[in-house]
Amino acid sequence: MPLRLLQSLFRAAPTTASHSFDDALIRAAIERVVEGADPRLRAVPNYQRKLRDAVAHSIAHVAQQVAMLPPALELSRRRFTLDPHVRALFVSPDHLREVLSASMRQDQGQAVAARLPDGSAEIYAVLRIERTEKTVLGVGMQGDLIQRDVPQTLVNFSDHRIAFPNASEAETRREMMKRGFDYLIEAALDRLAAIRSQKQQLQHQRQLLQKKARVLKTAQPGLEALLEDRAGGKTVTSATVERQLAEIEAEFNRLQADSATIDHHLEKVIATLRQPEQYLRLGQVALTLNQMNVKVSGDAAKTASTLNFNDCLIGAHRRLTVLLVRFSRSELLPEQPEDFFEEAQRLLYLNGRPRLTTL
């Protein structure tokens, strides 16, 4: 699929969870899936009809996830003093400006320029952040008594990055939908690649077990100790090897049958797109934090703020905090010739500067 068509795939898509999609969008999405996963899928009779429900379900899922995001959060030096969300995410107003400026410099180019008309004073984008928690020792109150060395949970936000800058919030949401749908296509492709990789691995295991079986069959009594399974501390017998070999042979034959034809490749792609929540989803997180980003509860929560964030869960292990944001071009620092020594000093200061946990 040409890049031009890919970029306009969700141009007419709604930015809410209405699930009302034009037939042209569904057809374009189907062709995007085929082109991204395996163009040979077009050889399957009625491939468009077979893919339609799964593709529509994935599009609806992506649209629903993007619709979960609240309106864009304003990022500015002024909001740093007024909004506890902004204050929790950044160390200082200067840190906020540096993050925005550095991200926009990294994303400079024709693609960004095309999305941001010259007259656009405000920029809408997605802010992605790594959120981590660690236990620290601080000061706490037990009734009227001050206690020291109290275990506390410190929440840290790091690795800030601006993505998908656009001139409007609607365009940024559509960009997220397009990227999310493309990620599901990648997940389908990865699933096909994993099957091929597993087949190769099983072939290798089968060759090893066949060799081991031959050795056991021809070995003289007393030599089985040389074939001991060191990890388990048990003697490997001919019957055990033959059983393992039979199991691997059966698994290998099953995989070979599942992926032997392009029809089965199509089935795997459909299976992935029918379960998009396994690969991409948003989860809401509420954190009650004091001004030092320490989790609090009970009486201490009365002077703290309960902040709501959205985590993007990618696959089984990757988790990122994502926010829709908006900021003025005036918040960006003016470009200056790079002084690498000064920049290194600044980054060391920012990254190494501990956030105070006690007063």
Side-chain angles (χ1 to χ4, degrees):
M1 173 174 290
L3 181 60
R4 174 175 53 80
L5 182 55
L6 173 59
Q7 290 175 336
S8 62
L9 183 59
F10 285 91
R11 185 67 61 191
T15 54
T16 64
S18 66
H19 299 177
S20 177
F21 301 106
D22 187 82
D23 282 344
L25 171 66
I26 301 296
R27 290 195 299 270
I30 290 172
E31 294 305 317
R32 174 65 187 138
V33 169
V34 172
E35 191 66 29
D38 189 341
R40 296 177 301 167
L41 295 175
R42 293 190 177 96
V44 178
N46 300 316
Y47 74 91
Q48 291 183 331
R49 178 179 59 79
K50 293 176 180 179
L51 277 166
R52 184 179 179 84
D53 288 346
V55 168
H57 179 63
S58 282
I59 293 177
H61 173 75
V62 171
Q64 183 183 44
Q65 299 303 294
V66 173
M68 285 176 57
L69 291 171
L73 175 70
E74 179 186 345
L75 299 182
S76 65
R77 286 163 289 180
R78 180 182 66 88
R79 293 303 298 175
F80 182 88
T81 61
L82 300 175
D83 194 325
H85 284 86
V86 180
R87 201 161 49 244
L89 296 173
F90 299 95
V91 175
S92 66
D94 288 340
H95 178 221
L96 183 153
R97 296 188 71 194
E98 289 169 353
V99 166
L100 297 180
S101 303
S103 292
M104 293 302 293
R105 282 197 298 268
Q106 291 171 0
D107 288 337
Q108 285 296 341
Q110 294 182 352
V112 173
R115 291 197 296 266
L116 297 175
D118 293 338
S120 175
E122 195 163 42
I123 299 171
Y124 291 81
V126 175
L127 174 64
R128 52 135 289 185
I129 313 167
E130 297 275 1
R131 190 185 80 248
T132 56
E133 298 182 4
K134 67 176 181 179
T135 301
V136 298
L137 297 179
V139 175
M141 296 293 296
Q142 182 67 34
D144 296 331
L145 300 178
I146 298 177
Q147 292 187 327
R148 298 187 180 276
D149 296 333
V150 177
Q152 299 175 331
T153 301
L154 175 66
V155 179
N156 184 50
F157 296 94
S158 62
D159 196 21
H160 304 63
R161 190 172 304 171
I162 292 292
F164 317 146
N166 279 283
S168 71
E169 180 174 325
E171 286 301 311
T172 296
R173 287 182 183 269
R174 290 191 181 100
E175 181 77 8
M176 291 185 70
M177 289 170 60
K178 176 177 71 66
R179 299 298 183 97
F181 185 73
D182 275 354
Y183 176 78
L184 294 177
I185 297 175
E186 293 175 12
L189 185 58
D190 288 343
R191 186 169 180 178
L192 294 179
I195 292 173
R196 297 189 188 103
S197 175
Q198 190 175 3
K199 285 176 60 179
Q200 294 173 355
Q201 185 179 23
L202 286 168
Q203 278 184 315
H204 180 62
Q205 291 180 13
R206 182 175 62 173
Q207 291 170 358
L208 291 177
L209 286 171
Q210 285 174 334
K211 181 178 180 180
K212 185 180 288 187
R214 287 196 300 270
V215 170
L216 286 173
K217 287 178 180 178
T218 59
Q220 296 295 323
L223 294 181
E224 287 188 344
L226 297 177
L227 303 172
E228 182 180 353
D229 181 1
R230 299 290 181 184
K234 299 179 181 179
T235 299
V236 179
T237 65
S238 179
T240 299
V241 173
E242 293 292 355
R243 177 179 55 79
Q244 294 176 346
L245 180 60
E247 292 174 351
I248 289 182
E249 188 75 29
E251 177 70 2
F252 179 80
N253 289 336
R254 185 188 66 79
L255 288 171
Q256 195 171 39
D258 283 348
S259 58
T261 66
I262 199 64
D263 297 81
H264 290 98
H265 283 277
L266 181 62
E267 290 177 8
K268 294 299 182 184
V269 172
I270 292 172
T272 300
L273 297 179
R274 279 177 176 164
Q275 298 178 310
E277 61 280 352
Q278 292 189 4
Y279 304 94
L280 183 67
R281 62 194 186 279
L282 284 178
Q284 295 180 331
V285 178
L287 302 173
T288 302
L289 306 176
N290 64 18
Q291 293 194 3
M292 274 71 74
N293 273 19
V294 172
K295 280 186 175 182
V296 295
S297 60
D299 291 339
K302 296 177 182 178
T303 57
S305 300
T306 298
L307 311 178
N308 296 301
F309 296 102
N310 287 91
D311 281 359
C312 183
L313 294 95
I314 303 173
H317 307 291
R318 186 71 165 151
R319 179 188 294 265
L320 296 169
T321 296
V322 294
L323 302 92
L324 275 172
V325 297
R326 59 185 176 91
F327 53 92
S328 170
R329 287 180 185 268
S330 62
E331 294 294 336
L332 302 178
L333 296 170
E335 291 193 34
Q336 298 177 349
E338 289 191 6
D339 184 328
F340 291 104
F341 179 75
E342 182 179 344
E343 179 70 3
Q345 292 279 50
R346 184 189 66 80
L347 290 175
L348 285 172
Y349 172 74
L350 278 178
N351 294 333
R353 175 184 174 185
R355 187 186 288 271
L356 296 176
T357 60
T358 58
L359 292 177

